[in-house]
Amino acid sequence: MLIRVTEQPLKPDEAVAAVTRAEAGAVVVFLGVVRNNNLGRTVNHLVYDAYPSMAEKVLATIASEARDRFSLGDCAILHRTGRLEIGEASLLVAVSAGHRVAAFEAAHWLVDEVKKRVPVWKKEVWSDGESWIEGPESLGLQQTPASLR
Amino acid sequence: MLIRVTEQPLKPDEAVAAVTRAEAGAVVVFLGVVRNNNLGRTVNHLVYDAYPSMAEKVLATIASEARDRFSLGDCAILHRTGRLEIGEASLLVAVSAGHRVAAFEAAHWLVDEVKKRVPVWKKEVWSDGESWIEGPESLGLQQTPASLR
Amino acid sequence: MPVTLLLFASIAEKAGRRRIEMDLRDGDTVHSVCERLLLDYPHLRPFFPRLMFAINEEYARDDALVPPGATLALIPPVSGG
Amino acid sequence: MPVTLLLFASIAEKAGRRRIEMDLRDGDTVHSVCERLLLDYPHLRPFFPRLMFAINEEYARDDALVPPGATLALIPPVSGG
């Protein structure tokens, strides 16, 4: 199980090699790539912040859940941090399974869970400003007492 | 659009680079990998035969259909031929799309169509024999007149 | 103008060849060409109920006319991927 | 034994720091620690309705007890991927 939060570029070949198993006929890889636009605004680049030690723990938990849920061969989840340019990969998920249906389902589920649960944040930088993105897919809001609001 | 039938090993990094677009936030890659077993039998290796020129035409047709159907950024389909060992990739599909749902759906659809339509055949080689596989996912049987049966 | 038959995978192994040249006759269809092939290769008959065909790299029905100089591929159920 | 608060992303930028040490009192919960934090950093209050919390790298509710020496992370809605 390859789990990593890193400032280095993410390499599909490495992740594929890490999950390939003699008994697994299907490998699916997902890459989240920095787009040049979001919600109608032109994006110049992104900056990712993370809580790396906790993020790796949460990634490992998600990976274990996926292995149980989808009877996977193996899986790899890598998240990049720091400044990323357009076209660079911020998230790489790779899974192997006996057959393709399980591999596609598991990869999709893993990406969904990463976006809900892993303490990583992106800032969009435009030509005329910047903003931290508060993920619409983040875990439901914590119950916060009225006194803190 | 990267379409290729080749005896050379398939490289995920190359396919990812080929489909990456500044406006596409999601890349999904599928690899079909030679398994060490099938239907309860231990597989030693596979041999793929192909009608390469027609296979590339059919792959290009499928790729075009996918681009219309799923509003893809781009897609790549590569099929390897010749002798393949356990753990080697026989099929590589890569797609890019604005968002992940389209990318996952398109990649899955492409793999299904490749298995139905592309003139490529695998032979399983076991320790004690071998057999050409007639794909259970192949296009429906041609209407064949009784005189040829 | 001859027609060139291409054979692959199981049927190529059984025939012992991947390519067969045949004469073309007026009005020849996939079906009629294959009937003449089976006169010379009767042991290939068991493959035909499951074959597909392609004329010049396009899938074709067995009642399709075979044009002069065509390449006619005999295509067992595919199993790529 | 102090408690170490970790701040990230938007709230770290607003606070001008990523790490704050605070004293821990008997019976301190996430909530009570944060109330004391807001005495020194009142401009962070608008973030709280959307924050999640983690104690020692595990998500925790705001009524969870904070153990001595804990690391308490203030976690804005995540946006990885």
Side-chain angles (χ1 to χ4, degrees), chain B residues 3-16:
Chain B
I3 300 292
R4 190 186 300 158
V5 173
T6 174
E7 299 212 331
Q8 301 306 311
L10 307 182
K11 310 277 196 190
D13 283 356
E14 180 196 7
V16 169

Side-chain angles (χ1 to χ4, degrees), chain B residues 49 51 54 119 121 148, chain C residues 3-12 15 17-20 22 30-31 33-35 37-38 41 44 47-48 50-55 59 62 71-78:
Chain B
D49 192 11
Y51 183 4
M54 180 173 165
W121 302 268
L148 284 173
Chain C
V3 54
T4 302
L5 276 69
L6 300 183
L7 290 71
F8 300 96
S10 53
I11 192 172
R17 47 201 299 191
R18 295 176 67 82
R19 186 185 177 97
I20 297 171
M22 290 175 57
V30 171
H31 181 209
V33 169
C34 289
E35 284 288 8
L37 173 74
L38 288 173
Y41 295 86
L44 299 184
F47 289 90
F48 276 76
R50 291 173 60 73
L51 283 189
M52 294 187 291
F53 305 100
I55 296 173
Y59 283 111
D62 67 356
T71 298
L72 171 59
L74 309 186
I75 299 191
V78 302

Side-chain angles (χ1 to χ4, degrees), chain B residues 24-74:
Chain B
V27 171
V28 171
V29 180
F30 172 86
L31 292 109
V33 177
V34 179
R35 289 195 299 154
N36 62 4
N37 68 90
N38 191 31
L39 303 176
R41 251 182 127 147
T42 300
V43 175
N44 183 279
H45 65 273
L46 297 184
V47 177
Y48 279 87
D49 192 11
Y51 183 4
S53 55
M54 180 173 165
E56 290 189 347
K57 277 191 188 177
V58 177
L59 290 175
T61 300
I62 294 171
S64 294
E65 290 176 18
R67 287 212 291 195
D68 295 342
R69 200 180 256 257
F70 300 98
S71 63
L72 295 184
D74 205 344

Side-chain angles (χ1 to χ4, degrees), chain A residues 48-49 53 117 134 145 147, chain D residues 18 45 50 57 59 62 81:
Chain A
Y48 279 88
D49 191 11
S53 55
R117 299 202 232 170
E134 303 213 325
S147 60
Chain D
R18 296 175 67 80
R45 190 172 292 271
R50 292 172 61 70
E57 305 182 352
Y59 283 112
D62 66 358

Side-chain angles (χ1 to χ4, degrees), chain A residues 15 28-31 75-78 91-95 106-107 110-111 114:
Chain A
V28 171
V29 180
F30 173 86
L31 292 109
C75 75
I77 319 178
L78 297 91
L91 172 65
L92 195 170
V93 167
V95 305
L110 281 163
V111 176
V114 166

Side-chain angles (χ1 to χ4, degrees), chain A residues 32 48-54 57-58 79 90-91 114-123 130 132-149, chain D residues 6-13 18 30-31 34-35 38 45-54 56-63 71 73-81:
Chain A
Y48 279 88
D49 191 11
Y51 183 3
S53 55
M54 179 173 167
K57 278 192 187 176
V58 176
H79 206 302
S90 52
L91 172 65
V114 166
K115 286 172 176 269
K116 283 182 200 163
R117 299 202 232 170
V118 180
V120 174
W121 301 269
K122 65 164 75 79
K123 180 162 71 173
E130 59 179 45
W132 287 101
I133 305 302
E134 303 213 325
E137 301 178 50
S138 180
L139 270 184
L141 299 178
Q142 185 80 8
Q143 287 295 98
T144 310
S147 60
L148 285 172
R149 289 174 202 262
Chain D
L6 300 182
L7 290 71
F8 300 96
S10 51
I11 191 171
E13 257 184 25
R18 296 175 67 80
V30 171
H31 180 209
C34 290
E35 284 288 8
L38 289 174
R45 190 172 292 271
F47 288 90
F48 275 75
R50 292 172 61 70
L51 283 189
M52 295 187 291
F53 305 100
N56 296 333
E57 305 182 352
E58 302 277 354
Y59 283 112
R61 294 164 48 99
D62 66 358
D63 56 2
T71 298
L74 309 187
I75 300 190
V78 302
S79 56

